[in-house]
Amino acid sequence: MNSAGHSEATAHRGLELTPFRGLRYDPDRVGSLAAVTSPPYDVVVRPDGLHHLEAADPHNIVRLILPQAATPSARNERAADTLRRWLSEGVLTTDPEPGLYVYEQRDGNGMLQRGIIGALRVSDPAEQVVLPHEDVMPHVVADRADLMRATSANLEPLLLTYRGDDSTAATADLIERTAEQPPLLATTTEDGFHHRLWSVTSPEDLAAIQSGLGSHQALIADGHHRWATYRRLRMEHPSPSPWDHGLVLLVDTARYPLRVRAIHRLLHDLPVAEAVAALEGRFRVRRLEAPLPEALEALADAACSGNAFLLAGDGAFHLVDHPDPGLLARTIPADRPTAWRTLDATVLHATLLEHVWRIPEDSPAHIAYIHDTAATVEKAERDGGTAVLMHPVREEVVRDLARQGVTMPRKSTSFGPKPATGLVLRALDL
């Protein structure tokens, strides 16, 4: 593994991206590259999506990122055993020389995203090099850390964004030139996205990328828990070590703007009728007899003038808006920026979950976070719970808060498109 050491004495100006020897599937050993990929671990809707991916191919990456067994330790041991077996069988092979990887995603509707995958130096929050914008759940960080320790691998890249300028012009040109060459791999996943990957190994090209990024900071678009995991594991291992770096995809959103979507909540033990009854006198609630697309339009309209949510789970939709100002004043901390205090996620967590519904937000037994809107509604209707559908936050708000050092409530945003998991991995002991 080509990994630069971390030195406290070194003055770090910005992003430090290091080449690595990528671990990739041998196309001749699997059914297809599309059949072995997966969305990021927290996007897989379990158990339906998990079973679907496991059935797609016996070597699907979900067997590493979401191993199944009776206990957490057994799950991590299974993932480590599976990774060792796939390496010994040649299912996964290591690229011959270290490089950075240009990665492209394209859909059929004109969306194009390109970025660079590499091993990024793990920095401390005080350095303001990597900006988080969401809080994390300690139990998720602990779970991801156990898995990374067991496998000694970064199994999927985080999605980070930076704003390119004149200093990154050479990097932008390099990405465009590389995308004109034959790729290392190309595949189309079942969501209709076309994926291509190239390796950049020329010392001159690598130096140009590293120089251009060296004065920039990045926003975590997706992967807050994994970044917190990288930081925990770096502190556990004496430096220099491969744990000083973590696998990321860096996208210049000045050239390739991301989509920002909401992450919805599924409240397992709260029927819709009870949820609505508890809102009486606190929020306005209107029942909508409309299909999901129309209900989401009504949510977007309501969100233009204040906090708004859509409840589902009983066969209808309930538009929740116009919160009582006195209720908000009593339940939302007054010592935070106005942009934070008025976020839908803030009102949901501080007012609705904690005060009105009294649901612990950090308990998987009570609440689930789901990216897919229709899946959230379907699971609520099937299980008798309440789906809370959210309206997305604008990227400018997210970045502005992050630069102020203000973190949003956990699972506030979903940036995309997210990198497919399984196209390139990073083994820390190779």
Side-chain angles (χ1 to χ4, degrees):
M1 177 65 57
N2 184 359
S3 176
H6 172 73
S7 170
E8 296 298 335
T10 303
H12 296 297
R13 296 176 296 111
L15 300 168
E16 295 182 28
L17 202 60
T18 300
F20 69 104
R21 294 178 63 200
L23 194 60
R24 297 189 295 111
Y25 281 100
D26 181 344
D28 296 330
R29 303 298 301 271
V30 297
S32 73
L33 288 175
V36 295
T37 63
S38 163
Y41 79 98
D42 58 337
V43 182
V44 177
V45 180
R46 291 169 274 187
D48 302 1
L50 179 66
H51 294 158
H52 173 73
L53 290 165
E54 286 182 330
D57 190 284
H59 300 109
N60 189 283
I61 193 68
V62 79
R63 297 178 188 276
L64 298 182
I65 63 172
L66 290 172
Q68 298 302 292
T71 66
S73 60
R75 288 196 293 270
N76 295 326
E77 185 177 337
R78 172 166 293 182
D81 290 343
T82 300
L83 179 57
R84 283 192 292 268
R85 186 174 73 255
W86 290 356
L87 286 167
S88 66
E89 294 173 351
V91 173
L92 289 169
T93 60
T94 308
D95 282 340
E97 56 183 322
L100 299 175
Y101 295 83
V102 171
Y103 175 49
E104 175 190 278
Q105 292 167 277
R106 185 192 298 267
D107 69 6
N109 301 313
M111 196 290 303
L112 173 65
Q113 178 175 288
R114 290 176 179 148
I116 300 175
I117 296 175
L120 183 69
R121 181 184 67 86
V122 179
S123 55
D124 295 319
E127 296 181 60
Q128 289 277 292
V129 173
V130 174
L131 304 175
H133 68 267
E134 289 184 358
D135 293 331
V136 297
M137 292 174 272
H139 75 275
V140 176
V141 176
D143 174 74
R144 291 294 102 183
D146 289 341
L147 179 62
M148 286 191 204
R149 286 191 205 96
T151 57
S152 192
N154 299 152
L155 300 172
E156 46 187 339
L158 284 62
L159 175 59
L160 306 185
T161 72
Y162 66 99
R163 301 292 292 178
D165 54 20
D166 290 345
S167 67
T168 57
T171 298
D173 291 343
L174 174 63
I175 290 174
E176 303 307 312
R177 291 199 315 272
T178 302
E180 296 173 356
Q181 306 301 314
L184 286 176
L185 64 85
T187 190
T188 301
T189 44
E190 64 179 8
D191 57 5
F193 274 88
H194 308 287
H195 307 263
R196 296 197 296 170
L197 190 77
W198 297 261
S199 178
V200 178
T201 58
S202 157
E204 295 78 12
D205 290 340
L206 294 175
I209 294 172
Q210 291 167 324
S211 174
L213 294 174
S215 59
H216 284 261
Q217 62 181 187
L219 175 73
I220 301 178
D222 185 64
H224 283 82
H225 289 90
R226 283 166 287 164
W227 181 254
T229 301
Y230 289 169
R231 291 188 55 241
R232 174 181 292 191
L233 294 173
R234 186 197 66 162
M235 289 187 290
E236 292 177 2
H237 295 81
S239 187
S241 84
W243 299 95
D244 291 341
H245 295 72
L247 187 64
V248 305
L249 165 64
L250 279 167
V251 174
D252 175 4
T253 52
R255 296 179 69 92
Y256 300 108
L258 297 184
R259 298 170 177 169
V260 187
R261 292 192 171 100
I263 302 177
H264 309 297
R265 276 65 170 163
L266 175 61
L267 311 180
H268 296 299
D269 301 322
L270 181 67
V272 175
E274 292 182 20
V276 170
L279 296 174
E280 186 175 352
R282 294 164 162 169
F283 287 76
R284 182 175 70 172
V285 183
R286 288 173 286 167
R287 183 183 177 95
L288 306 178
E289 298 290 350
L292 178 58
E294 291 182 21
L296 291 174
E297 289 180 10
L299 173 62
D301 290 341
C304 291
S305 56
N307 300 117
F309 312 92
L310 202 60
L311 307 187
D314 61 351
F317 295 100
H318 306 265
L319 183 60
V320 178
D321 61 359
H322 289 197
D324 171 41
L327 174 65
L328 298 184
R330 293 192 304 274
T331 56
I332 296 177
D335 60 347
R336 307 295 291 275
T338 301
W340 180 90
R341 299 180 73 247
T342 56
L343 288 169
D344 286 341
T346 298
V347 174
L348 172 63
H349 286 258
T351 304
L352 285 171
L353 290 178
E354 183 174 342
H355 182 80
V356 176
W357 292 327
R358 300 190 182 280
I359 293 175
E361 62 176 327
D362 57 353
S363 171
H366 293 89
I367 184 170
Y369 298 84
I370 304 177
H371 294 72
D372 185 272
T373 308
T376 311
V377 175
E378 290 166 7
K379 288 179 73 64
E381 291 180 345
R382 186 170 62 225
D383 302 341
T386 294
V388 183
L389 305 183
M390 310 283 288
H391 186 68
V393 184
R394 299 192 320 277
E395 181 180 358
E396 311 89 80
V397 173
V398 176
R399 193 176 293 274
D400 182 56
L401 284 170
R403 284 178 173 153
Q404 296 179 52
V406 178
T407 54
M408 300 166 66
R410 59 197 61 170
K411 298 294 184 181
S412 293
T413 60
S414 175
F415 284 85
K418 305 178 191 304
T421 299
L423 296 181
V424 61
L425 292 63
R426 174 177 177 253
L428 278 77
D429 51 5
L430 292 177

mmCIF file of all heavy atoms in Angstrom, residues 218-247:
data_model
loop_
_atom_site.group_PDB
_atom_site.id
_atom_site.type_symbol
_atom_site.label_atom_id
_atom_site.label_comp_id
_atom_site.label_asym_id
_atom_site.label_seq_id
_atom_site.Cartn_x
_atom_site.Cartn_y
_atom_site.Cartn_z
ATOM 1 N N ALA A 218 -13.045 20.115 1.616
ATOM 2 C CA ALA A 218 -14.127 19.324 1.042
ATOM 3 C C ALA A 218 -15.283 19.226 2.021
ATOM 4 O O ALA A 218 -15.088 19.232 3.242
ATOM 5 C CB ALA A 218 -13.635 17.923 0.662
ATOM 6 N N LEU A 219 -16.470 19.124 1.468
ATOM 7 C CA LEU A 219 -17.683 18.897 2.245
ATOM 8 C C LEU A 219 -18.034 17.425 2.164
ATOM 9 O O LEU A 219 -17.998 16.829 1.074
ATOM 10 C CB LEU A 219 -18.829 19.737 1.672
ATOM 11 C CG LEU A 219 -20.221 19.538 2.284
ATOM 12 C CD1 LEU A 219 -20.288 20.178 3.677
ATOM 13 C CD2 LEU A 219 -21.300 20.131 1.376
ATOM 14 N N ILE A 220 -18.344 16.804 3.302
ATOM 15 C CA ILE A 220 -18.818 15.420 3.266
ATOM 16 C C ILE A 220 -20.233 15.429 2.721
ATOM 17 O O ILE A 220 -21.155 15.949 3.349
ATOM 18 C CB ILE A 220 -18.802 14.776 4.664
ATOM 19 C CG1 ILE A 220 -17.393 14.781 5.259
ATOM 20 C CG2 ILE A 220 -19.333 13.344 4.585
ATOM 21 C CD1 ILE A 220 -17.332 14.206 6.671
ATOM 22 N N ALA A 221 -20.408 14.877 1.539
ATOM 23 C CA ALA A 221 -21.745 14.773 0.956
ATOM 24 C C ALA A 221 -22.433 13.495 1.427
ATOM 25 O O ALA A 221 -23.625 13.493 1.720
ATOM 26 C CB ALA A 221 -21.662 14.798 -0.570
ATOM 27 N N ASP A 222 -21.682 12.409 1.495
ATOM 28 C CA ASP A 222 -22.240 11.143 1.955
ATOM 29 C C ASP A 222 -21.128 10.342 2.627
ATOM 30 O O ASP A 222 -20.060 10.168 2.046
ATOM 31 C CB ASP A 222 -22.820 10.328 0.780
ATOM 32 C CG ASP A 222 -23.525 9.066 1.253
ATOM 33 O OD1 ASP A 222 -24.540 9.181 1.960
ATOM 34 O OD2 ASP A 222 -23.043 7.966 0.938
ATOM 35 N N GLY A 223 -21.375 9.893 3.860
ATOM 36 C CA GLY A 223 -20.390 9.069 4.539
ATOM 37 C C GLY A 223 -19.915 9.641 5.864
ATOM 38 O O GLY A 223 -18.775 9.388 6.266
ATOM 39 N N HIS A 224 -20.764 10.386 6.557
ATOM 40 C CA HIS A 224 -20.350 10.964 7.834
ATOM 41 C C HIS A 224 -19.913 9.903 8.838
ATOM 42 O O HIS A 224 -18.926 10.076 9.563
ATOM 43 C CB HIS A 224 -21.486 11.792 8.436
ATOM 44 C CG HIS A 224 -21.654 13.128 7.792
ATOM 45 N ND1 HIS A 224 -22.343 13.293 6.613
ATOM 46 C CD2 HIS A 224 -21.205 14.368 8.144
ATOM 47 C CE1 HIS A 224 -22.320 14.579 6.270
ATOM 48 N NE2 HIS A 224 -21.634 15.248 7.178
ATOM 49 N N HIS A 225 -20.649 8.784 8.896
ATOM 50 C CA HIS A 225 -20.297 7.744 9.866
ATOM 51 C C HIS A 225 -18.980 7.069 9.500
ATOM 52 O O HIS A 225 -18.171 6.746 10.372
ATOM 53 C CB HIS A 225 -21.426 6.717 9.973
ATOM 54 C CG HIS A 225 -22.645 7.263 10.653
ATOM 55 N ND1 HIS A 225 -23.664 7.874 9.953
ATOM 56 C CD2 HIS A 225 -22.989 7.318 11.962
ATOM 57 C CE1 HIS A 225 -24.596 8.271 10.813
ATOM 58 N NE2 HIS A 225 -24.214 7.942 12.030
ATOM 59 N N ARG A 226 -18.747 6.889 8.210
ATOM 60 C CA ARG A 226 -17.500 6.259 7.798
ATOM 61 C C ARG A 226 -16.317 7.210 7.994
ATOM 62 O O ARG A 226 -15.220 6.774 8.338
ATOM 63 C CB ARG A 226 -17.611 5.786 6.343
ATOM 64 C CG ARG A 226 -18.427 4.496 6.199
ATOM 65 C CD ARG A 226 -18.810 4.218 4.759
ATOM 66 N NE ARG A 226 -19.856 5.117 4.310
ATOM 67 C CZ ARG A 226 -20.185 5.320 3.035
ATOM 68 N NH1 ARG A 226 -19.510 4.700 2.078
ATOM 69 N NH2 ARG A 226 -21.163 6.138 2.712
ATOM 70 N N TRP A 227 -16.530 8.523 7.808
ATOM 71 C CA TRP A 227 -15.445 9.475 8.093
ATOM 72 C C TRP A 227 -15.126 9.471 9.584
ATOM 73 O O TRP A 227 -13.946 9.484 9.971
ATOM 74 C CB TRP A 227 -15.818 10.874 7.621
ATOM 75 C CG TRP A 227 -14.730 11.873 7.880
ATOM 76 C CD1 TRP A 227 -14.695 12.845 8.838
ATOM 77 C CD2 TRP A 227 -13.480 11.987 7.170
ATOM 78 N NE1 TRP A 227 -13.517 13.558 8.771
ATOM 79 C CE2 TRP A 227 -12.752 13.057 7.760
ATOM 80 C CE3 TRP A 227 -12.921 11.295 6.089
ATOM 81 C CZ2 TRP A 227 -11.494 13.440 7.303
ATOM 82 C CZ3 TRP A 227 -11.660 11.682 5.652
ATOM 83 C CH2 TRP A 227 -10.966 12.733 6.252
ATOM 84 N N ALA A 228 -16.157 9.461 10.425
ATOM 85 C CA ALA A 228 -15.919 9.375 11.870
ATOM 86 C C ALA A 228 -15.210 8.069 12.224
ATOM 87 O O ALA A 228 -14.370 8.023 13.128
ATOM 88 C CB ALA A 228 -17.242 9.479 12.619
ATOM 89 N N THR A 229 -15.522 7.007 11.480
ATOM 90 C CA THR A 229 -14.847 5.721 11.675
ATOM 91 C C THR A 229 -13.377 5.822 11.284
ATOM 92 O O THR A 229 -12.492 5.334 11.999
ATOM 93 C CB THR A 229 -15.536 4.623 10.849
ATOM 94 O OG1 THR A 229 -16.904 4.518 11.253
ATOM 95 C CG2 THR A 229 -14.846 3.280 11.049
ATOM 96 N N TYR A 230 -13.092 6.461 10.139
ATOM 97 C CA TYR A 230 -11.700 6.665 9.732
ATOM 98 C C TYR A 230 -10.928 7.393 10.826
ATOM 99 O O TYR A 230 -9.788 7.039 11.148
ATOM 100 C CB TYR A 230 -11.631 7.511 8.450
ATOM 101 C CG TYR A 230 -12.072 6.866 7.167
ATOM 102 C CD1 TYR A 230 -12.254 7.635 6.025
ATOM 103 C CD2 TYR A 230 -12.306 5.496 7.078
ATOM 104 C CE1 TYR A 230 -12.648 7.072 4.819
ATOM 105 C CE2 TYR A 230 -12.712 4.913 5.882
ATOM 106 C CZ TYR A 230 -12.881 5.712 4.757
ATOM 107 O OH TYR A 230 -13.271 5.146 3.574
ATOM 108 N N ARG A 231 -11.542 8.429 11.400
ATOM 109 C CA ARG A 231 -10.857 9.209 12.426
ATOM 110 C C ARG A 231 -10.603 8.357 13.678
ATOM 111 O O ARG A 231 -9.528 8.431 14.284
ATOM 112 C CB ARG A 231 -11.684 10.447 12.790
ATOM 113 C CG ARG A 231 -11.751 11.488 11.678
ATOM 114 C CD ARG A 231 -12.407 12.783 12.130
ATOM 115 N NE ARG A 231 -11.729 13.291 13.310
ATOM 116 C CZ ARG A 231 -12.312 13.473 14.481
ATOM 117 N NH1 ARG A 231 -13.589 13.173 14.669
ATOM 118 N NH2 ARG A 231 -11.624 13.943 15.496
ATOM 119 N N ARG A 232 -11.572 7.546 14.052
ATOM 120 C CA ARG A 232 -11.385 6.683 15.231
ATOM 121 C C ARG A 232 -10.261 5.684 14.988
ATOM 122 O O ARG A 232 -9.402 5.474 15.858
ATOM 123 C CB ARG A 232 -12.688 5.934 15.541
ATOM 124 C CG ARG A 232 -12.520 4.906 16.653
ATOM 125 C CD ARG A 232 -13.798 4.140 16.947
ATOM 126 N NE ARG A 232 -14.813 5.010 17.546
ATOM 127 C CZ ARG A 232 -15.933 4.560 18.087
ATOM 128 N NH1 ARG A 232 -16.194 3.260 18.106
ATOM 129 N NH2 ARG A 232 -16.808 5.383 18.610
ATOM 130 N N LEU A 233 -10.246 5.057 13.822
ATOM 131 C CA LEU A 233 -9.245 4.031 13.546
ATOM 132 C C LEU A 233 -7.854 4.637 13.374
ATOM 133 O O LEU A 233 -6.853 4.006 13.717
ATOM 134 C CB LEU A 233 -9.654 3.232 12.306
ATOM 135 C CG LEU A 233 -10.929 2.403 12.475
ATOM 136 C CD1 LEU A 233 -11.349 1.775 11.162
ATOM 137 C CD2 LEU A 233 -10.727 1.323 13.541
ATOM 138 N N ARG A 234 -7.787 5.854 12.836
ATOM 139 C CA ARG A 234 -6.481 6.510 12.735
ATOM 140 C C ARG A 234 -5.890 6.730 14.123
ATOM 141 O O ARG A 234 -4.694 6.522 14.351
ATOM 142 C CB ARG A 234 -6.606 7.849 12.020
ATOM 143 C CG ARG A 234 -5.253 8.511 11.764
ATOM 144 C CD ARG A 234 -5.368 9.976 11.452
ATOM 145 N NE ARG A 234 -5.856 10.741 12.601
ATOM 146 C CZ ARG A 234 -5.734 12.058 12.715
ATOM 147 N NH1 ARG A 234 -5.159 12.764 11.761
ATOM 148 N NH2 ARG A 234 -6.208 12.687 13.772
ATOM 149 N N MET A 235 -6.725 7.119 15.085
ATOM 150 C CA MET A 235 -6.232 7.369 16.441
ATOM 151 C C MET A 235 -5.798 6.074 17.134
ATOM 152 O O MET A 235 -4.969 6.102 18.037
ATOM 153 C CB MET A 235 -7.309 8.076 17.262
ATOM 154 C CG MET A 235 -7.534 9.517 16.833
ATOM 155 S SD MET A 235 -8.656 10.440 17.927
ATOM 156 C CE MET A 235 -10.223 9.666 17.565
ATOM 157 N N GLU A 236 -6.337 4.946 16.700
ATOM 158 C CA GLU A 236 -5.991 3.667 17.321
ATOM 159 C C GLU A 236 -4.657 3.102 16.837
ATOM 160 O O GLU A 236 -4.087 2.227 17.490
ATOM 161 C CB GLU A 236 -7.083 2.632 17.015
ATOM 162 C CG GLU A 236 -8.413 2.907 17.692
ATOM 163 C CD GLU A 236 -9.468 1.901 17.300
ATOM 164 O OE1 GLU A 236 -9.156 0.962 16.535
ATOM 165 O OE2 GLU A 236 -10.607 2.037 17.767
ATOM 166 N N HIS A 237 -4.162 3.582 15.700
ATOM 167 C CA HIS A 237 -2.958 3.010 15.105
ATOM 168 C C HIS A 237 -1.830 4.038 15.088
ATOM 169 O O HIS A 237 -2.011 5.149 14.585
ATOM 170 C CB HIS A 237 -3.248 2.536 13.674
ATOM 171 C CG HIS A 237 -4.220 1.398 13.602
ATOM 172 N ND1 HIS A 237 -5.593 1.584 13.669
ATOM 173 C CD2 HIS A 237 -4.025 0.064 13.485
ATOM 174 C CE1 HIS A 237 -6.192 0.411 13.581
ATOM 175 N NE2 HIS A 237 -5.270 -0.520 13.474
ATOM 176 N N PRO A 238 -0.667 3.678 15.624
ATOM 177 C CA PRO A 238 0.467 4.607 15.618
ATOM 178 C C PRO A 238 0.804 5.041 14.195
ATOM 179 O O PRO A 238 0.836 4.229 13.274
ATOM 180 C CB PRO A 238 1.603 3.782 16.236
ATOM 181 C CG PRO A 238 0.918 2.702 17.021
ATOM 182 C CD PRO A 238 -0.339 2.395 16.274
ATOM 183 N N SER A 239 1.053 6.332 14.049
ATOM 184 C CA SER A 239 1.367 6.879 12.738
ATOM 185 C C SER A 239 2.883 6.853 12.510
ATOM 186 O O SER A 239 3.640 7.002 13.470
ATOM 187 C CB SER A 239 0.847 8.308 12.671
ATOM 188 O OG SER A 239 0.965 8.847 11.393
ATOM 189 N N PRO A 240 3.359 6.638 11.288
ATOM 190 C CA PRO A 240 2.573 6.483 10.063
ATOM 191 C C PRO A 240 2.028 5.064 9.891
ATOM 192 O O PRO A 240 2.677 4.091 10.275
ATOM 193 C CB PRO A 240 3.591 6.791 8.967
ATOM 194 C CG PRO A 240 4.909 6.384 9.557
ATOM 195 C CD PRO A 240 4.819 6.695 11.027
ATOM 196 N N SER A 241 0.836 4.967 9.321
ATOM 197 C CA SER A 241 0.222 3.672 9.031
ATOM 198 C C SER A 241 -0.800 3.860 7.920
ATOM 199 O O SER A 241 -1.214 4.998 7.636
ATOM 200 C CB SER A 241 -0.465 3.110 10.285
ATOM 201 O OG SER A 241 -1.773 3.633 10.424
ATOM 202 N N PRO A 242 -1.228 2.776 7.283
ATOM 203 C CA PRO A 242 -2.268 2.901 6.257
ATOM 204 C C PRO A 242 -3.568 3.499 6.781
ATOM 205 O O PRO A 242 -4.362 4.039 6.010
ATOM 206 C CB PRO A 242 -2.471 1.448 5.790
ATOM 207 C CG PRO A 242 -1.203 0.747 6.131
ATOM 208 C CD PRO A 242 -0.730 1.390 7.393
ATOM 209 N N TRP A 243 -3.776 3.431 8.107
ATOM 210 C CA TRP A 243 -5.006 3.968 8.701
ATOM 211 C C TRP A 243 -4.986 5.490 8.746
ATOM 212 O O TRP A 243 -5.997 6.113 9.122
ATOM 213 C CB TRP A 243 -5.196 3.395 10.108
ATOM 214 C CG TRP A 243 -5.339 1.911 10.125
ATOM 215 C CD1 TRP A 243 -4.346 1.002 10.338
ATOM 216 C CD2 TRP A 243 -6.533 1.149 9.921
ATOM 217 N NE1 TRP A 243 -4.842 -0.284 10.287
ATOM 218 C CE2 TRP A 243 -6.197 -0.220 10.032
ATOM 219 C CE3 TRP A 243 -7.866 1.491 9.666
ATOM 220 C CZ2 TRP A 243 -7.126 -1.241 9.886
ATOM 221 C CZ3 TRP A 243 -8.796 0.471 9.521
ATOM 222 C CH2 TRP A 243 -8.426 -0.884 9.622
ATOM 223 N N ASP A 244 -3.882 6.114 8.362
ATOM 224 C CA ASP A 244 -3.833 7.569 8.263
ATOM 225 C C ASP A 244 -4.679 8.075 7.096
ATOM 226 O O ASP A 244 -4.925 9.276 6.986
ATOM 227 C CB ASP A 244 -2.392 8.052 8.054
ATOM 228 C CG ASP A 244 -1.519 7.838 9.274
ATOM 229 O OD1 ASP A 244 -2.061 7.670 10.375
ATOM 230 O OD2 ASP A 244 -0.279 7.841 9.115
ATOM 231 N N HIS A 245 -5.085 7.176 6.223
ATOM 232 C CA HIS A 245 -5.841 7.547 5.030
ATOM 233 C C HIS A 245 -7.130 6.733 4.938
ATOM 234 O O HIS A 245 -7.220 5.638 5.497
ATOM 235 C CB HIS A 245 -5.005 7.328 3.760
ATOM 236 C CG HIS A 245 -3.808 8.215 3.669
ATOM 237 N ND1 HIS A 245 -2.697 8.051 4.470
ATOM 238 C CD2 HIS A 245 -3.548 9.293 2.880
ATOM 239 C CE1 HIS A 245 -1.800 8.986 4.176
ATOM 240 N NE2 HIS A 245 -2.299 9.751 3.213
ATOM 241 N N GLY A 246 -8.112 7.286 4.226
ATOM 242 C CA GLY A 246 -9.373 6.584 4.007
ATOM 243 C C GLY A 246 -9.858 6.781 2.583
ATOM 244 O O GLY A 246 -9.574 7.803 1.936
ATOM 245 N N LEU A 247 -10.600 5.808 2.091
ATOM 246 C CA LEU A 247 -11.041 5.799 0.696
ATOM 247 C C LEU A 247 -12.173 6.809 0.473
ATOM 248 O O LEU A 247 -13.174 6.800 1.193
ATOM 249 C CB LEU A 247 -11.524 4.386 0.329
ATOM 250 C CG LEU A 247 -11.869 4.127 -1.135
ATOM 251 C CD1 LEU A 247 -10.630 4.276 -2.019
ATOM 252 C CD2 LEU A 247 -12.469 2.720 -1.297
#
